[in-house]
Amino acid sequence: KSAYDLSEQCLSLAQRLHDPLLLLGAHMELGATQFCVGDFTEARSHLEQAIALHEPQSQRPHAFLHGQDFGVSARARVSHVMWFLGYPDQAIVRSLEAVALATELSHPFTMAYARIFAAVLYQLCSNHRAAQEHAEAAIRIAADQGFRLWSVAGKVLRGWAVAEQGQPDGIAEMNQGLATWRTGG
């Protein structure tokens, strides 16, 4: 089955069970799936529904159970959706919400996730300094926690930002990060 079919099944099950946390997760996954196939309008709809269902304090323990906070993830993802729909200001607002909420929840994986998504958004906006700041924050969290994926992604993004600011060592950092990524690191 496709990711879309599985996400649809999750949504159907969550609706039958009337479980808000399952609904939040299903909408988040459907939004992510729709984003990946370029259906930004549908992705936005599902991600905004996930955000509406998010209750940070009562759902906080689920971030530790599931590995990330779904409300932060939905905000981070919808920031990219908003960019591609042509709303860069709204994209930045959602991204900053994701980073602030992740910081408030103090869940390291979610914090690194939000920072990487912010760095990518600022890369899309050609804001080199902001992209670098978010990438470096993600790298610090990743180093402290051993999150290799976010460390590598952060280094690629930081390398891009540094290179765009005229520093040639950024290209070497990007190449090193990409090589690590390709080898499964």
Side-chain angles (χ1 to χ4, degrees):
K1 290 202 171 215
S2 72
Y4 179 80
D5 292 335
L6 292 172
S7 296
E8 281 276 311
Q9 285 180 358
C10 288
L11 180 60
S12 178
L13 177 62
Q15 289 169 332
R16 281 195 311 273
L17 294 173
H18 304 287
D19 185 317
L21 185 62
L22 290 178
L23 278 168
L24 187 162
H27 281 297
M28 212 278 295
E29 290 306 324
L30 267 167
T33 301
Q34 293 300 89
F35 174 82
C36 288
V37 297
D39 188 347
F40 303 124
T41 302
E42 200 60 31
R44 178 183 183 185
S45 174
H46 284 292
L47 292 168
E48 292 290 355
Q49 288 178 68
I51 292 166
L53 290 164
H54 187 236
E55 297 174 7
Q57 295 313 314
S58 66
Q59 295 169 350
R60 186 172 191 270
H62 296 285
F64 292 92
L65 179 65
H66 299 288
Q68 66 181 335
D69 182 86
F70 293 149
V72 171
S73 300
R75 285 170 176 82
R77 286 184 176 277
V78 84
S79 73
H80 291 190
V81 169
M82 298 308 290
W83 167 264
F84 284 106
L85 286 172
Y87 303 105
D89 293 340
Q90 291 177 38
I92 290 169
V93 167
R94 282 300 195 189
S95 179
L96 293 174
E97 287 174 6
V99 170
L101 184 55
T103 302
E104 178 185 322
L105 294 172
S106 193
H107 183 259
F109 190 85
T110 302
M111 289 167 36
Y113 181 99
R115 290 295 190 151
I116 290 295
F117 270 76
V120 170
L121 177 64
Y122 282 109
Q123 180 185 40
L124 292 169
C125 295
S126 294
N127 185 332
H128 315 124
R129 292 200 193 287
Q132 182 179 350
E133 288 171 17
H134 286 286
E136 288 174 350
I139 292 166
R140 283 191 301 275
I141 296 164
D144 289 346
Q145 301 293 321
F147 301 146
R148 193 156 167 88
L149 170 67
W150 297 137
S151 177
V152 171
K155 288 176 182 177
V156 171
L157 289 161
R158 179 176 61 192
W160 171 85
V162 168
E164 285 294 316
Q165 294 173 67
Q167 299 174 27
D169 54 329
I171 297 200
E173 184 171 20
M174 278 189 340
N175 285 332
Q176 180 185 16
L178 291 170
T180 302
W181 194 290
R182 282 187 204 106
T183 60

